[in-house]
Amino acid sequence: GGLTAEDGSTTVLRARHAVAVATGSTATIPDIPGLREARPWTSREATGAKSVPGSLAVIGGGVVAAEMATVYAAFGSEVTVIARGGLLEGFEDFAGERVDESLRSRGVTIMTGTETRRVERTGDGVRLETTGGEVRAAEVLAATGRSPATADLGLEHVGLEAGSPLETDDTLRVEGFDWLYAV
């Protein structure tokens, strides 16, 4: 094993004391039929866009969904948030309620308790089939969480599952190892 460069050459590294995994995370694209093929925005595209779409459908009800709905509504985009549950469910109830009120006051359409069943890229944007009806927008943002970037590190060689989170103790040491740490 070892590190493989773009040209195919490999380099073996040996740690003297410990190994720290600090690979970050990637945006999660849920398994909604047609969503991947529709080329959805993630937080990366939403924060790096060079122009404002006339309308934006946001799938998700968490922090990124609320932030991007706020931003794009302020930019003049017609925003629809489609959340499987409520808004900001991991927080105190009042937080989600206040954000819901604030977004609605800015003209954002909020669809809570709504599943997205299918997404299709059309000639003029995207069409989403939801349990609350059809939503059409110029762009769709998948704001449904993040996954650890641990898929291609070789974790399976030390008995860990590739692509899974690394559970740590209070010192950030991976449970069951005296030499492996994760951030």
Side-chain angles (χ1 to χ4, degrees):
L3 298 174
T4 305
E6 286 185 23
D7 66 5
S9 63
T10 60
T11 305
V12 175
L13 300 176
R14 300 207 186 284
R16 288 195 184 120
H17 302 291
V19 173
V21 177
T23 52
S25 61
T26 57
T28 301
I29 306 292
D31 281 334
I32 296 169
L35 181 58
R36 275 190 175 75
E37 296 78 8
R39 300 177 315 282
W41 282 5
T42 66
S43 55
R44 179 178 302 252
E45 289 81 14
T47 56
K50 301 278 189 265
S51 62
V52 177
S55 53
L56 178 66
V58 180
I59 301 173
V63 173
V64 171
E67 286 176 342
M68 292 300 103
T70 302
V71 167
Y72 277 89
F75 287 159
S77 189
E78 186 180 314
V79 179
T80 302
V81 175
I82 306 159
R84 201 171 48 199
L87 289 185
L88 304 181
E89 284 191 322
F91 298 89
E92 298 285 346
D93 290 345
F94 74 86
E97 292 163 8
R98 296 290 291 275
V99 169
D100 185 292
E101 290 168 16
S102 175
L103 286 171
R104 288 179 195 274
S105 75
R106 296 163 194 263
V108 174
T109 300
I110 309 282
M111 300 170 72
T112 55
T114 305
E115 294 274 347
T116 301
R117 295 268 170 85
R118 171 174 293 286
V119 179
E120 178 186 22
R121 174 76 57 183
T122 64
D124 60 352
V126 288
R127 187 175 68 79
L128 297 88
E129 294 174 21
T130 79
T131 54
E134 183 178 277
V135 174
R136 288 185 175 267
E139 289 294 343
V140 59
L141 165 62
T144 51
R146 300 195 64 82
S147 300
T150 60
D152 57 358
L153 302 178
L155 293 175
E156 62 279 5
H157 297 295
V158 295
L160 294 169
E161 186 181 338
S164 67
L166 299 174
E167 299 297 329
T168 62
D169 64 17
D170 290 344
T171 68
L172 299 182
R173 190 176 66 194
V174 176
E175 293 174 8
F177 295 85
D178 62 358
W179 57 270
L180 183 59
Y181 292 79
V183 179

